[in-house]
Amino acid sequence: MPKSRTSPLTRRGFIAAGGALGLVAALTACGGDDSAKGDGGKDKGAAASGPWTFKDDLGVDVSTKATPKNIVAFTGTAAALYDYGVPVKGVFGPTKTADGKPDVQAGSLDISKVEILGNVYDQFNVEKYAALRPDLLVTNTWDGSYWYVPEASKDKILKLAPAAAISVGKDATMDKALARTADLATSLGADMEARKTVDAKARFEAAAEKVRQATKANPGIKVLVGSGSPEVFYASNPTTSADLSYFRQLGVEFVVPDKLDEGDFFESLSWENAGKYQADVILLDNRSSALQPETLGKEKPTWAELPAVKAGQVTPRVTEPIYSYDKCAQILEDLAKSLQSAKKVS
């Protein structure tokens, strides 16, 4: 999922002519210590008075003079850090809906207490970012790029502070992404021995076992992962994202599209051909940018004819998980329930 395929890709000017001098000043003040080689690539936290290093999943040894305090993060990553007690100053990515409520990707974040630098794909206010005097930018990576950091302004953004990325794409699994996010949070001061975190991890492990048992108790259930847009239905490839790869390890049987688009993340199907792949359960993209079941039922007749839809076996898919044990435990529990109750209809 290298792009938010169901979001409008709006672009805008990031620096007005009158604000250019302010950005140059901020670049001068904040630049120069973007990243440096650490001690053999070993991840470590540090006291605020000493250096901080972290080897991220792009292979970059990210380094600052002291443990970062002014952190800006992709919304979902910020939500994960929040669950571990690590606050952020600003966020970019889907944060609030059109009616002002927290987006599903904001998790437990109090969105009134963070600076929102951009709320949709390709939107990132560089001037506001510079004004926060960031020590560190944190995001995910699907394909070797910084997720939700616009290509057009990437160089300006990355000059303002070091950046660290956690892999959630095809070279990762949910448990690995969770561990790496926890590593980062620990390096930033999170207490992984806190009772809340210990309990959440135990809940996650128990939920994973529930999924394993559900697939064994109800074998042969075929699951299709999809996302709806006004123009097409995206049938997702289950081998290119950390969550689905982990579900496969737990025994979930997915439908694998046979004619993938560039990047191998999904196959784009016209709504006339939405029934190309038969499935017993559909995991449907729950992001605010994607069409949800109520709208699909009203506007897409072929959706209503799908066997899984007729059987009421459509489950929301958290397409971009918040990689904290608390949030991922809930995802697995919901998946286990769907598999346990599913009937063969394809």
Side-chain angles (χ1 to χ4, degrees), residues 21-337:
L21 291 177
L23 176 61
V24 171
L27 284 167
T28 303
C30 299
D33 289 318
D34 293 1
S35 62
K37 290 294 180 182
D39 54 348
K42 182 179 180 181
D43 297 346
K44 65 177 183 178
S49 60
W52 174 88
T53 62
F54 181 82
K55 190 177 185 70
D56 79 352
D57 290 346
L58 295 177
V60 178
D61 290 302
V62 188
S63 177
T64 59
K65 293 180 179 179
T67 303
K69 298 299 181 186
N70 290 346
I71 301 168
V72 173
F74 169 66
T75 303
T77 315
L81 292 176
Y82 178 88
D83 284 352
Y84 293 129
V86 178
V88 301
K89 296 287 187 179
V91 297
F92 55 96
T95 307
K96 63 180 179 180
T97 58
D99 58 4
K101 295 179 180 179
D103 188 274
V104 65
Q105 294 187 61
S108 301
L109 276 176
D110 183 345
I111 64 172
S112 69
K113 295 183 179 180
V114 293
E115 184 75 59
I116 301 174
L117 305 177
N119 199 55
V120 297
Y121 191 81
D122 236 15
Q123 184 184 84
F124 193 116
N125 191 311
V126 183
E127 283 190 296
K128 286 185 178 180
Y129 180 57
L132 292 174
R133 300 188 65 83
D135 298 321
L136 179 69
L137 181 146
V138 181
T139 187
N140 294 330
T141 182
W142 291 83
D143 58 357
S145 62
Y146 294 102
W147 184 232
Y148 263 78
V149 175
E151 188 64 29
S153 53
K154 178 183 69 176
D155 291 344
K156 293 176 182 177
I157 293 167
L158 297 181
K159 283 180 181 178
L160 286 164
I166 300 298
S167 180
V168 297
K170 61 184 177 182
D171 60 344
T173 53
M174 176 177 273
D175 55 340
K176 181 179 178 181
L178 278 166
R180 291 294 289 143
T181 303
D183 287 343
L184 177 61
T186 300
S187 77
L188 295 170
D191 178 9
M192 288 297 148
E193 299 304 317
R195 182 60 181 269
K196 177 183 176 181
T197 300
V198 172
D199 288 350
K201 186 174 183 180
R203 180 186 169 200
F204 171 81
E205 292 169 347
E209 184 58 29
K210 289 179 182 178
V211 175
R212 287 192 190 95
Q213 295 305 317
T215 61
K216 291 178 180 178
N218 198 6
I221 297 298
K222 296 292 185 180
V223 179
L224 174 65
V225 182
S227 181
S229 78
E231 296 79 20
V232 296
F233 178 69
Y234 299 102
S236 298
N237 180 0
T239 69
T240 54
S241 59
D243 59 330
L244 301 182
S245 293
Y246 186 60
F247 300 165
R248 293 183 90 193
Q249 290 183 3
L250 299 177
V252 178
E253 297 182 43
F254 286 107
V255 173
V256 180
D258 57 25
K259 193 176 181 181
L260 297 169
D261 294 4
E262 183 179 357
D264 293 341
F265 285 90
F266 47 74
E267 178 177 353
S268 300
L269 300 171
S270 66
W271 279 107
E272 290 76 8
N273 295 313
K276 177 179 178 180
Y277 300 107
Q278 297 295 298
D280 306 300
V281 172
I282 295 175
L283 295 185
L284 187 69
D285 188 349
N286 78 329
R287 291 177 297 177
S288 57
S289 57
L291 299 183
Q292 299 306 305
E294 182 178 359
T295 301
L296 290 172
K298 293 178 180 178
E299 299 180 3
K300 306 298 180 185
T302 51
W303 167 260
E305 294 303 313
L306 298 178
V309 176
K310 286 184 174 181
Q313 296 180 170
V314 177
T315 298
R317 180 207 174 189
V318 182
T319 304
E320 295 184 56
I322 294 168
Y323 282 100
S324 70
Y325 287 107
D326 177 69
K327 298 302 187 291
C328 287
Q330 185 65 58
I331 291 172
L332 291 179
E333 289 169 354
D334 292 342
L335 177 62
K337 289 178 182 178

